[in-house]
Amino acid sequence: MEPIFDLAIHLPRKGSRDLLRSLHRHLRDAIIDGRLQSGVRLPPTRELAAALGISRNTAVAAYDLLISESYIETRQGAGSYVAIPRSRTLTAAARRSEPEHRPDARLNAYWRDQRAPDDGASSGGLRYDFQLGTPDMALIPFSIWQRLSARALRALSRQPLVEPEAHGRPELRAAIAQHVSFTRAVACRAGDVTVTSGAQQAFDLLARTLVAPGGTVVALEDPGYPPMRAAFAAAGARLALIPVDEEGLVVSRLPKETRVVCVTPSHQFPLGMAMSLRRRDELLAFANARKAVVIEDDYDAEFRFGGRALDALQTLDSAGSVIYVGTFSKSLFPALRLGYIVAPPWAHGALAAARRIATGDCAVLAQDTLAAFIAGGHLARHVRKVRRVYAARRQVMEAKFADDLGEWLEPIHGHAGLHLAAFVRGRLNADSIARRARQAGIGIYPLSRFYAGGVTRQGLVFGYGNISGHDIADGLEQLARLLRRGK
Amino acid sequence: MEPIFDLAIHLPRKGSRDLLRSLHRHLRDAIIDGRLQSGVRLPPTRELAAALGISRNTAVAAYDLLISESYIETRQGAGSYVAIPRSRTLTAAARRSEPEHRPDARLNAYWRDQRAPDDGASSGGLRYDFQLGTPDMALIPFSIWQRLSARALRALSRQPLVEPEAHGRPELRAAIAQHVSFTRAVACRAGDVTVTSGAQQAFDLLARTLVAPGGTVVALEDPGYPPMRAAFAAAGARLALIPVDEEGLVVSRLPKETRVVCVTPSHQFPLGMAMSLRRRDELLAFANARKAVVIEDDYDAEFRFGGRALDALQTLDSAGSVIYVGTFSKSLFPALRLGYIVAPPWAHGALAAARRIATGDCAVLAQDTLAAFIAGGHLARHVRKVRRVYAARRQVMEAKFADDLGEWLEPIHGHAGLHLAAFVRGRLNADSIARRARQAGIGIYPLSRFYAGGVTRQGLVFGYGNISGHDIADGLEQLARLLRRGK
């Protein structure tokens, strides 16, 4: 038979837990990138397993996942083939021989045309990936976490019963209340805190409890954060997309029938500026006058650089209009999936009831470990440490922008966070810059993917949470070279 | 001042993680039980802390939780008091001085009158608690779990990035597919599996993707499982409550416009009988004829006793009508919060999209640990071991029913599970038996709490997942004595 692949597949050592995941991703990325062309026949699993020195089960499972994701398809008795390019109208001929993706009438109309979210190709092929939304895994104090986790598990094992809690584990609620009071000046007690499965669940619970399908106008920043938009859209909100300027959300553009406003006041996502004090006052005045609710998504405010961070918007609220959402995805790691809501009393019952129906309590072991991690001062120490690292990376980035990229890119000033956004000067197209950069192994992210309405500014977003200072410098130099070359 | 309490408060040793939780529960149970009367003034936190030898922070946090749950209220400058009996129209005077619970117009109408779910009093005061839904924590192999968790965390720490997965971690999906194929004969591959935050999230995602608000008729067993009902009600379904008889769901009573049918065919919840083969065939014929969807909740089928368990209903389905929901809450522990859906291809995209919006991926560390636990054969070994323990407890219970309780209670036969239900003979009222039993320190659960429609049969449910064989025998003897005495 033909050579297995003209692919270099580097797998972790045999027996490692990562084997299946790595193989799956290698094959998938190769198909996305075109290294494995559509119509190419893949080797039978037995041969693949032998060639790579892995178990047949692993090979079967990898192919199976790719089939379910429509990257490959099986032809009766004739093997597995790379599927025709994903045109959004095809799905693999799976076990039940459905050759085309037909929106199924058994599904609610909203979900009928949804496809599994495209997680996108991994960084596998990128030399310099300025990825967003992810902190540096190498900085995380896993050994402390491990020790506290083991202790929490022992404590759990000694209890005859672990009862579900409406708002999450009491110790964690108390720890979060202290943490957020101290670090963000958020006024709250343990009783105001609801633990959630990541900030995403916070948005989802808020969308479900605040939105009457078809009737509730929810205002969102544009450009903004797509997963939050998705939560409100799924709940049936009427979305009002509001522009932002150098002071943040343009409050004067809020429709008067707005019932919910979602903002990222510490560090606008994705542009990065802080919401001015003037706009904060305007927004709260609007909310109080119209009995609207403001949702403050404070997603990475701990990572301030250069001076004191602005207090949370919630601190200015004396009328119970602001609901604050926080997360541990950036200060710890996203895979932890713990976030929280700090809400005024009128929302407590509804949030607990909705949470119970959505998932019930979050995983208890993780909650207890996090509570101990916070209460033992480890979170504060960790944030202080990584803040310096990220601040240094920010400086490298800003210096490179000033020295090498000023001709094409105009960075947007911010106080905090793990990414920097820059407008593109002149008539350049950000999406095409990003595409060319990707081909050169540089991962940068066009602003267009964050607009839900029309793309009013061309820009690019550069994360620095998960790339070293050295790679930041090199990567941006290469970008400058690329920009200089290709007009 | 007056003595602190006429209460015995037994707290875990100082510094233990359980301190806050224990104190909170002690006080709360005392209020629920009436040991702390409404209007009684609680000691200031400083004095309580000194008296109990705990930190003031812990005392403050405990009071704070009780305030948020409306058990106590603070009066300006005059201390903390046990609140007036919870009449569902009051909430504590909290920081924003809202003396009464007013449904808030900012909330979606469905949630406006919801209160935080009443977790109910803990077993604290019960000598013999025949609790439902919980396995025996003492049997769980925590040390193996700990070892695998540490290994998974090390592996995670070595990855530069952990990417979110639309359906959950591939290794876990593969492990679940093998597990459920082998143990329940469910036909599936890794690609059909979606990992969820407990079975509750499975119900919620299915409710959201299958129900068009106000339009979709969803049939549920009555008596049934309230949290599943709640998920469909919250999604706006029109609920059709269908009776059950000795063969399970009475399929002939399904309204013809039914689009979704939820069943517990291995072990009807709560009555316990298995769905007959005849009814299974009828149900699938109904579903196929009308393009309806059947959701199979297979919540504790691994714990079979006396012979071979029936295969899952899903195995009879060749038309993609059955969606299977499983959980690890009983075979491992509820605090883990991991469950799964096995769905036909037409539902995959919608489920992944809904899951992404609801929470994103589940906690990765727990998924990886569970995958290793299953792949290493530990789950199978564990289930084999505990099955024998639970089967023995079942036998003790059935013997006691035959010997001592036959005059009042008629047990319902079943093949599997962690609880036994019994009808009450004659004109006795099950709720009042349960109340008297509770006062005598025996926790048994009236069938009435599982009916959404009219209570058509008087009965009681006895769990044996978390009570020893010895206590089962003693507790049931005491129950018999109580029944003999008080008519």
Side-chain angles (χ1 to χ4, degrees), chain B residues 370-425:
Chain B
L370 179 57
F373 192 79
I374 296 173
H378 304 289
L379 180 64
R381 260 189 296 279
H382 172 67
V383 169
R384 274 199 304 272
K385 176 181 105 175
V386 300
R387 184 186 293 141
R388 286 191 290 267
V389 173
Y390 294 135
R393 291 180 189 176
R394 175 91 178 192
Q395 283 183 325
V396 169
M397 187 172 276
E398 288 180 340
K400 278 293 168 192
F401 268 82
D403 295 345
D404 296 350
L405 293 161
E407 186 177 333
W408 307 275
L409 300 175
E410 174 198 333
I412 299 163
H413 179 65
H415 292 297
L418 293 180
H419 69 267
L420 178 147
F423 291 125
V424 173
R425 297 190 195 278

Short mmCIF file of all heavy atoms in Angstrom, two decimals, chain B residues 370-425:
data_model
loop_
_atom_site.label_atom_id
_atom_site.label_comp_id
_atom_site.label_asym_id
_atom_site.label_seq_id
_atom_site.Cartn_x
_atom_site.Cartn_y
_atom_site.Cartn_z
N LEU B 370 -11.30 10.62 35.36
CA LEU B 370 -12.34 9.61 35.16
C LEU B 370 -11.99 8.71 33.98
O LEU B 370 -12.19 7.49 34.02
CB LEU B 370 -13.70 10.27 34.93
CG LEU B 370 -14.87 9.33 34.68
CD1 LEU B 370 -15.06 8.34 35.83
CD2 LEU B 370 -16.16 10.13 34.48
N ALA B 371 -11.46 9.29 32.93
CA ALA B 371 -11.08 8.48 31.76
C ALA B 371 -10.05 7.42 32.17
O ALA B 371 -10.15 6.26 31.79
CB ALA B 371 -10.50 9.38 30.66
N ALA B 372 -9.07 7.85 32.97
CA ALA B 372 -8.05 6.90 33.42
C ALA B 372 -8.65 5.86 34.36
O ALA B 372 -8.28 4.69 34.33
CB ALA B 372 -6.92 7.67 34.13
N PHE B 373 -9.59 6.31 35.18
CA PHE B 373 -10.23 5.41 36.14
C PHE B 373 -11.00 4.31 35.41
O PHE B 373 -10.95 3.13 35.79
CB PHE B 373 -11.16 6.24 37.03
CG PHE B 373 -11.68 5.50 38.24
CD1 PHE B 373 -10.89 5.35 39.36
CD2 PHE B 373 -12.97 4.99 38.25
CE1 PHE B 373 -11.38 4.68 40.49
CE2 PHE B 373 -13.46 4.31 39.36
CZ PHE B 373 -12.66 4.16 40.48
N ILE B 374 -11.67 4.70 34.35
CA ILE B 374 -12.41 3.71 33.57
C ILE B 374 -11.46 2.83 32.76
O ILE B 374 -11.55 1.60 32.79
CB ILE B 374 -13.41 4.41 32.61
CG1 ILE B 374 -14.47 5.18 33.41
CG2 ILE B 374 -14.07 3.37 31.70
CD1 ILE B 374 -15.38 6.04 32.55
N ALA B 375 -10.53 3.49 32.07
CA ALA B 375 -9.63 2.74 31.18
C ALA B 375 -8.75 1.77 31.96
O ALA B 375 -8.34 0.73 31.44
CB ALA B 375 -8.77 3.72 30.38
N GLY B 376 -8.47 2.10 33.21
CA GLY B 376 -7.65 1.23 34.04
C GLY B 376 -8.41 0.10 34.67
O GLY B 376 -7.88 -0.66 35.49
N GLY B 377 -9.69 -0.03 34.33
CA GLY B 377 -10.49 -1.11 34.88
C GLY B 377 -11.01 -0.87 36.29
O GLY B 377 -11.66 -1.73 36.88
N HIS B 378 -10.73 0.31 36.84
CA HIS B 378 -11.11 0.55 38.24
C HIS B 378 -12.61 0.71 38.42
O HIS B 378 -13.16 0.30 39.44
CB HIS B 378 -10.40 1.81 38.76
CG HIS B 378 -8.91 1.76 38.62
ND1 HIS B 378 -8.12 0.92 39.38
CD2 HIS B 378 -8.08 2.41 37.77
CE1 HIS B 378 -6.85 1.07 39.01
NE2 HIS B 378 -6.80 1.97 38.05
N LEU B 379 -13.25 1.30 37.45
CA LEU B 379 -14.70 1.48 37.57
C LEU B 379 -15.40 0.14 37.57
O LEU B 379 -16.27 -0.12 38.40
CB LEU B 379 -15.24 2.36 36.43
CG LEU B 379 -16.76 2.60 36.48
CD1 LEU B 379 -17.15 3.37 37.73
CD2 LEU B 379 -17.23 3.35 35.23
N ALA B 380 -15.00 -0.72 36.65
CA ALA B 380 -15.64 -2.03 36.57
C ALA B 380 -15.44 -2.81 37.87
O ALA B 380 -16.37 -3.41 38.40
CB ALA B 380 -15.07 -2.81 35.39
N ARG B 381 -14.22 -2.75 38.39
CA ARG B 381 -13.94 -3.44 39.66
C ARG B 381 -14.77 -2.86 40.79
O ARG B 381 -15.35 -3.58 41.60
CB ARG B 381 -12.45 -3.30 40.02
CG ARG B 381 -11.61 -4.51 39.68
CD ARG B 381 -10.20 -4.39 40.26
NE ARG B 381 -9.45 -3.28 39.71
CZ ARG B 381 -8.81 -3.31 38.55
NH1 ARG B 381 -8.82 -4.40 37.80
NH2 ARG B 381 -8.14 -2.25 38.11
N HIS B 382 -14.83 -1.55 40.81
CA HIS B 382 -15.57 -0.88 41.87
C HIS B 382 -17.05 -1.24 41.82
O HIS B 382 -17.65 -1.57 42.86
CB HIS B 382 -15.38 0.64 41.74
CG HIS B 382 -16.24 1.43 42.67
ND1 HIS B 382 -16.09 1.42 44.03
CD2 HIS B 382 -17.29 2.26 42.42
CE1 HIS B 382 -16.99 2.20 44.59
NE2 HIS B 382 -17.73 2.72 43.64
N VAL B 383 -17.62 -1.20 40.63
CA VAL B 383 -19.04 -1.52 40.51
C VAL B 383 -19.31 -2.96 40.91
O VAL B 383 -20.29 -3.26 41.60
CB VAL B 383 -19.54 -1.23 39.08
CG1 VAL B 383 -20.94 -1.79 38.87
CG2 VAL B 383 -19.53 0.26 38.81
N ARG B 384 -18.43 -3.87 40.51
CA ARG B 384 -18.62 -5.28 40.90
C ARG B 384 -18.61 -5.42 42.41
O ARG B 384 -19.44 -6.13 42.99
CB ARG B 384 -17.51 -6.14 40.31
CG ARG B 384 -17.76 -6.62 38.90
CD ARG B 384 -16.89 -7.81 38.53
NE ARG B 384 -15.47 -7.56 38.71
CZ ARG B 384 -14.67 -7.03 37.77
NH1 ARG B 384 -15.17 -6.68 36.59
NH2 ARG B 384 -13.39 -6.84 38.00
N LYS B 385 -17.70 -4.69 43.05
CA LYS B 385 -17.60 -4.78 44.50
C LYS B 385 -18.84 -4.20 45.19
O LYS B 385 -19.44 -4.85 46.05
CB LYS B 385 -16.34 -4.04 44.97
CG LYS B 385 -16.20 -4.00 46.48
CD LYS B 385 -14.96 -3.22 46.90
CE LYS B 385 -15.32 -1.84 47.43
NZ LYS B 385 -14.16 -1.09 47.96
N VAL B 386 -19.21 -2.99 44.80
CA VAL B 386 -20.31 -2.36 45.52
C VAL B 386 -21.65 -3.00 45.19
O VAL B 386 -22.57 -2.98 46.00
CB VAL B 386 -20.36 -0.83 45.29
CG1 VAL B 386 -19.08 -0.19 45.77
CG2 VAL B 386 -20.66 -0.47 43.85
N ARG B 387 -21.73 -3.59 44.01
CA ARG B 387 -22.99 -4.25 43.66
C ARG B 387 -23.31 -5.32 44.69
O ARG B 387 -24.47 -5.50 45.09
CB ARG B 387 -22.86 -4.86 42.26
CG ARG B 387 -24.14 -5.48 41.75
CD ARG B 387 -23.91 -6.18 40.43
NE ARG B 387 -23.61 -5.24 39.37
CZ ARG B 387 -22.72 -5.44 38.41
NH1 ARG B 387 -22.04 -6.57 38.35
NH2 ARG B 387 -22.52 -4.53 37.48
N ARG B 388 -22.29 -6.05 45.12
CA ARG B 388 -22.52 -7.11 46.11
C ARG B 388 -22.97 -6.50 47.44
O ARG B 388 -23.88 -7.02 48.09
CB ARG B 388 -21.25 -7.93 46.32
CG ARG B 388 -20.93 -8.87 45.16
CD ARG B 388 -19.83 -9.84 45.53
NE ARG B 388 -18.53 -9.18 45.65
CZ ARG B 388 -17.64 -9.08 44.67
NH1 ARG B 388 -17.92 -9.59 43.47
NH2 ARG B 388 -16.48 -8.48 44.86
N VAL B 389 -22.34 -5.41 47.80
CA VAL B 389 -22.72 -4.75 49.06
C VAL B 389 -24.16 -4.28 49.00
O VAL B 389 -24.95 -4.52 49.91
CB VAL B 389 -21.79 -3.54 49.33
CG1 VAL B 389 -22.28 -2.75 50.52
CG2 VAL B 389 -20.35 -4.01 49.52
N TYR B 390 -24.51 -3.63 47.90
CA TYR B 390 -25.86 -3.11 47.79
C TYR B 390 -26.88 -4.24 47.67
O TYR B 390 -27.99 -4.16 48.21
CB TYR B 390 -25.98 -2.15 46.60
CG TYR B 390 -25.18 -0.88 46.74
CD1 TYR B 390 -24.40 -0.39 45.69
CD2 TYR B 390 -25.18 -0.16 47.93
CE1 TYR B 390 -23.66 0.77 45.82
CE2 TYR B 390 -24.44 1.01 48.07
CZ TYR B 390 -23.68 1.46 47.01
OH TYR B 390 -22.95 2.61 47.14
N ALA B 391 -26.51 -5.30 46.98
CA ALA B 391 -27.44 -6.44 46.86
C ALA B 391 -27.71 -7.05 48.24
O ALA B 391 -28.85 -7.41 48.56
CB ALA B 391 -26.86 -7.49 45.92
N ALA B 392 -26.69 -7.11 49.05
CA ALA B 392 -26.87 -7.65 50.40
C ALA B 392 -27.79 -6.75 51.22
O ALA B 392 -28.67 -7.22 51.95
CB ALA B 392 -25.52 -7.79 51.09
N ARG B 393 -27.62 -5.45 51.07
CA ARG B 393 -28.49 -4.53 51.80
C ARG B 393 -29.93 -4.66 51.32
O ARG B 393 -30.88 -4.61 52.12
CB ARG B 393 -28.02 -3.09 51.60
CG ARG B 393 -26.71 -2.78 52.27
CD ARG B 393 -26.30 -1.34 52.03
NE ARG B 393 -24.94 -1.11 52.51
CZ ARG B 393 -24.29 0.03 52.36
NH1 ARG B 393 -24.89 1.05 51.74
NH2 ARG B 393 -23.07 0.16 52.82
N ARG B 394 -30.07 -4.84 50.03
CA ARG B 394 -31.41 -5.02 49.47
C ARG B 394 -32.09 -6.22 50.10
O ARG B 394 -33.27 -6.21 50.44
CB ARG B 394 -31.32 -5.18 47.96
CG ARG B 394 -32.65 -5.51 47.27
CD ARG B 394 -33.35 -4.26 46.85
NE ARG B 394 -34.59 -4.54 46.16
CZ ARG B 394 -35.28 -3.62 45.48
NH1 ARG B 394 -34.82 -2.40 45.39
NH2 ARG B 394 -36.41 -3.96 44.89
N GLN B 395 -31.30 -7.30 50.24
CA GLN B 395 -31.86 -8.53 50.82
C GLN B 395 -32.31 -8.31 52.26
O GLN B 395 -33.37 -8.78 52.67
CB GLN B 395 -30.82 -9.65 50.78
CG GLN B 395 -30.66 -10.26 49.41
CD GLN B 395 -29.69 -11.42 49.41
OE1 GLN B 395 -28.70 -11.42 50.14
NE2 GLN B 395 -29.98 -12.42 48.59
N VAL B 396 -31.47 -7.62 53.04
CA VAL B 396 -31.86 -7.31 54.42
C VAL B 396 -33.18 -6.55 54.41
O VAL B 396 -34.11 -6.84 55.17
CB VAL B 396 -30.77 -6.46 55.11
CG1 VAL B 396 -31.27 -5.92 56.45
CG2 VAL B 396 -29.50 -7.29 55.30
N MET B 397 -33.26 -5.57 53.54
CA MET B 397 -34.46 -4.74 53.48
C MET B 397 -35.68 -5.57 53.08
O MET B 397 -36.73 -5.49 53.74
CB MET B 397 -34.23 -3.60 52.47
CG MET B 397 -35.33 -2.58 52.45
SD MET B 397 -34.94 -1.12 51.42
CE MET B 397 -33.99 -0.13 52.59
N GLU B 398 -35.53 -6.39 52.05
CA GLU B 398 -36.67 -7.18 51.60
C GLU B 398 -37.10 -8.17 52.68
O GLU B 398 -38.30 -8.41 52.88
CB GLU B 398 -36.33 -7.92 50.29
CG GLU B 398 -36.25 -6.97 49.10
CD GLU B 398 -35.91 -7.67 47.79
OE1 GLU B 398 -35.36 -8.79 47.83
OE2 GLU B 398 -36.18 -7.08 46.72
N ALA B 399 -36.14 -8.72 53.40
CA ALA B 399 -36.47 -9.66 54.47
C ALA B 399 -37.27 -8.95 55.56
O ALA B 399 -38.28 -9.46 56.04
CB ALA B 399 -35.20 -10.27 55.04
N LYS B 400 -36.84 -7.78 55.93
CA LYS B 400 -37.55 -7.03 56.96
C LYS B 400 -38.96 -6.67 56.52
O LYS B 400 -39.90 -6.68 57.31
CB LYS B 400 -36.77 -5.75 57.32
CG LYS B 400 -35.64 -5.97 58.30
CD LYS B 400 -36.19 -6.38 59.65
CE LYS B 400 -35.09 -6.89 60.57
NZ LYS B 400 -35.65 -7.54 61.77
N PHE B 401 -39.07 -6.33 55.25
CA PHE B 401 -40.41 -6.02 54.75
C PHE B 401 -41.30 -7.23 54.86
O PHE B 401 -42.46 -7.15 55.28
CB PHE B 401 -40.34 -5.53 53.28
CG PHE B 401 -40.23 -4.05 53.16
CD1 PHE B 401 -39.01 -3.42 53.30
CD2 PHE B 401 -41.36 -3.28 52.93
CE1 PHE B 401 -38.91 -2.03 53.21
CE2 PHE B 401 -41.27 -1.89 52.84
CZ PHE B 401 -40.04 -1.27 52.98
N ALA B 402 -40.75 -8.39 54.50
CA ALA B 402 -41.56 -9.62 54.55
C ALA B 402 -41.90 -9.98 55.98
O ALA B 402 -43.04 -10.30 56.30
CB ALA B 402 -40.80 -10.75 53.87
N ASP B 403 -40.89 -9.90 56.87
CA ASP B 403 -41.10 -10.37 58.23
C ASP B 403 -41.91 -9.41 59.09
O ASP B 403 -42.74 -9.84 59.89
CB ASP B 403 -39.74 -10.59 58.93
CG ASP B 403 -38.93 -11.70 58.28
OD1 ASP B 403 -39.52 -12.49 57.50
OD2 ASP B 403 -37.71 -11.79 58.55
N ASP B 404 -41.57 -8.11 58.99
CA ASP B 404 -42.09 -7.17 59.99
C ASP B 404 -43.08 -6.13 59.45
O ASP B 404 -43.80 -5.53 60.24
CB ASP B 404 -40.92 -6.39 60.63
CG ASP B 404 -39.99 -7.30 61.42
OD1 ASP B 404 -40.34 -8.47 61.63
OD2 ASP B 404 -38.92 -6.81 61.84
N LEU B 405 -43.02 -5.85 58.17
CA LEU B 405 -43.77 -4.69 57.69
C LEU B 405 -44.91 -5.03 56.75
O LEU B 405 -45.61 -4.15 56.26
CB LEU B 405 -42.82 -3.72 56.97
CG LEU B 405 -41.78 -3.05 57.88
CD1 LEU B 405 -40.61 -2.48 57.06
CD2 LEU B 405 -42.42 -1.92 58.69
N GLY B 406 -45.12 -6.32 56.56
CA GLY B 406 -46.10 -6.74 55.55
C GLY B 406 -47.51 -6.24 55.81
O GLY B 406 -48.30 -6.06 54.89
N GLU B 407 -47.80 -5.98 57.10
CA GLU B 407 -49.16 -5.54 57.44
C GLU B 407 -49.47 -4.16 56.87
O GLU B 407 -50.63 -3.86 56.55
CB GLU B 407 -49.26 -5.50 58.97
CG GLU B 407 -50.64 -5.20 59.51
CD GLU B 407 -50.64 -5.24 61.03
OE1 GLU B 407 -49.78 -5.96 61.62
OE2 GLU B 407 -51.49 -4.56 61.64
N TRP B 408 -48.44 -3.33 56.72
CA TRP B 408 -48.70 -1.95 56.31
C TRP B 408 -48.14 -1.61 54.94
O TRP B 408 -48.64 -0.71 54.29
CB TRP B 408 -48.06 -0.97 57.32
CG TRP B 408 -48.48 -1.25 58.72
CD1 TRP B 408 -49.60 -0.81 59.35
CD2 TRP B 408 -47.75 -2.04 59.67
NE1 TRP B 408 -49.64 -1.28 60.64
CE2 TRP B 408 -48.51 -2.04 60.87
CE3 TRP B 408 -46.54 -2.75 59.67
CZ2 TRP B 408 -48.10 -2.72 62.01
CZ3 TRP B 408 -46.14 -3.43 60.80
CH2 TRP B 408 -46.92 -3.40 61.96
N LEU B 409 -47.06 -2.32 54.55
CA LEU B 409 -46.36 -1.91 53.34
C LEU B 409 -46.22 -3.05 52.34
O LEU B 409 -45.93 -4.18 52.71
CB LEU B 409 -44.95 -1.39 53.70
CG LEU B 409 -44.89 -0.20 54.64
CD1 LEU B 409 -43.44 0.12 55.01
CD2 LEU B 409 -45.53 1.04 54.00
N GLU B 410 -46.43 -2.73 51.09
CA GLU B 410 -46.35 -3.70 50.00
C GLU B 410 -45.20 -3.30 49.06
O GLU B 410 -45.37 -2.39 48.23
CB GLU B 410 -47.69 -3.65 49.25
CG GLU B 410 -47.80 -4.47 48.00
CD GLU B 410 -48.98 -3.99 47.14
OE1 GLU B 410 -49.96 -3.44 47.70
OE2 GLU B 410 -48.90 -4.16 45.91
N PRO B 411 -44.04 -3.94 49.19
CA PRO B 411 -42.90 -3.51 48.38
C PRO B 411 -43.12 -3.77 46.89
O PRO B 411 -43.83 -4.70 46.51
CB PRO B 411 -41.74 -4.35 48.91
CG PRO B 411 -42.37 -5.50 49.61
CD PRO B 411 -43.71 -5.07 50.07
N ILE B 412 -42.50 -2.91 46.07
CA ILE B 412 -42.61 -3.03 44.61
C ILE B 412 -41.36 -3.71 44.08
O ILE B 412 -40.24 -3.30 44.38
CB ILE B 412 -42.76 -1.63 43.98
CG1 ILE B 412 -44.04 -0.97 44.51
CG2 ILE B 412 -42.79 -1.72 42.46
CD1 ILE B 412 -44.08 0.53 44.27
N HIS B 413 -41.57 -4.72 43.29
CA HIS B 413 -40.43 -5.50 42.81
C HIS B 413 -39.61 -4.77 41.76
O HIS B 413 -40.17 -4.09 40.89
CB HIS B 413 -40.95 -6.82 42.23
CG HIS B 413 -39.88 -7.69 41.68
ND1 HIS B 413 -38.90 -8.25 42.48
CD2 HIS B 413 -39.59 -8.08 40.43
CE1 HIS B 413 -38.08 -8.96 41.74
NE2 HIS B 413 -38.48 -8.87 40.48
N GLY B 414 -38.29 -4.90 41.84
CA GLY B 414 -37.44 -4.30 40.81
C GLY B 414 -36.19 -5.14 40.63
O GLY B 414 -35.92 -6.06 41.40
N HIS B 415 -35.40 -4.81 39.58
CA HIS B 415 -34.20 -5.59 39.28
C HIS B 415 -32.91 -4.91 39.68
O HIS B 415 -31.86 -5.53 39.69
CB HIS B 415 -34.09 -5.81 37.77
CG HIS B 415 -35.13 -6.70 37.20
ND1 HIS B 415 -35.26 -8.02 37.56
CD2 HIS B 415 -36.10 -6.45 36.30
CE1 HIS B 415 -36.26 -8.55 36.89
NE2 HIS B 415 -36.80 -7.62 36.12
N ALA B 416 -32.99 -3.61 39.88
CA ALA B 416 -31.74 -2.85 40.00
C ALA B 416 -31.97 -1.62 40.85
O ALA B 416 -33.10 -1.26 41.18
CB ALA B 416 -31.27 -2.43 38.60
N GLY B 417 -30.90 -1.00 41.26
CA GLY B 417 -31.01 0.30 41.89
C GLY B 417 -30.51 0.39 43.30
O GLY B 417 -29.95 -0.55 43.85
N LEU B 418 -30.72 1.55 43.87
CA LEU B 418 -30.27 1.84 45.21
C LEU B 418 -31.42 2.24 46.12
O LEU B 418 -31.22 2.86 47.16
CB LEU B 418 -29.23 2.98 45.19
CG LEU B 418 -27.89 2.68 44.51
CD1 LEU B 418 -26.99 3.92 44.57
CD2 LEU B 418 -27.19 1.51 45.16
N HIS B 419 -32.63 1.92 45.71
CA HIS B 419 -33.75 2.20 46.61
C HIS B 419 -34.88 1.22 46.33
O HIS B 419 -34.93 0.57 45.28
CB HIS B 419 -34.24 3.64 46.46
CG HIS B 419 -34.93 3.93 45.16
ND1 HIS B 419 -34.28 4.43 44.07
CD2 HIS B 419 -36.23 3.81 44.80
CE1 HIS B 419 -35.14 4.60 43.07
NE2 HIS B 419 -36.33 4.23 43.48
N LEU B 420 -35.78 1.14 47.30
CA LEU B 420 -36.96 0.28 47.17
C LEU B 420 -38.16 1.13 47.53
O LEU B 420 -38.13 1.90 48.49
CB LEU B 420 -36.83 -0.91 48.13
CG LEU B 420 -37.99 -1.91 48.18
CD1 LEU B 420 -37.44 -3.32 48.46
CD2 LEU B 420 -38.98 -1.56 49.28
N ALA B 421 -39.22 0.98 46.75
CA ALA B 421 -40.45 1.69 47.04
C ALA B 421 -41.51 0.70 47.49
O ALA B 421 -41.49 -0.48 47.12
CB ALA B 421 -40.94 2.45 45.80
N ALA B 422 -42.41 1.18 48.32
CA ALA B 422 -43.48 0.31 48.81
C ALA B 422 -44.78 1.09 48.87
O ALA B 422 -44.80 2.25 49.32
CB ALA B 422 -43.12 -0.21 50.20
N PHE B 423 -45.86 0.48 48.42
CA PHE B 423 -47.16 1.10 48.58
C PHE B 423 -47.64 0.91 50.01
O PHE B 423 -47.29 -0.07 50.68
CB PHE B 423 -48.19 0.50 47.61
CG PHE B 423 -47.93 0.84 46.17
CD1 PHE B 423 -47.80 -0.15 45.21
CD2 PHE B 423 -47.82 2.16 45.77
CE1 PHE B 423 -47.56 0.16 43.87
CE2 PHE B 423 -47.57 2.49 44.44
CZ PHE B 423 -47.44 1.49 43.49
N VAL B 424 -48.42 1.87 50.45
CA VAL B 424 -48.98 1.77 51.80
C VAL B 424 -50.35 1.12 51.71
O VAL B 424 -51.17 1.51 50.88
CB VAL B 424 -49.08 3.20 52.40
CG1 VAL B 424 -49.83 3.16 53.73
CG2 VAL B 424 -47.70 3.79 52.59
N ARG B 425 -50.57 0.12 52.52
CA ARG B 425 -51.84 -0.60 52.44
C ARG B 425 -52.97 0.18 53.10
O ARG B 425 -52.76 1.03 53.96
CB ARG B 425 -51.72 -1.97 53.14
CG ARG B 425 -50.72 -2.91 52.49
CD ARG B 425 -50.85 -4.30 53.10
NE ARG B 425 -49.71 -5.15 52.80
CZ ARG B 425 -49.55 -5.83 51.66
NH1 ARG B 425 -50.45 -5.75 50.70
NH2 ARG B 425 -48.48 -6.59 51.47
#
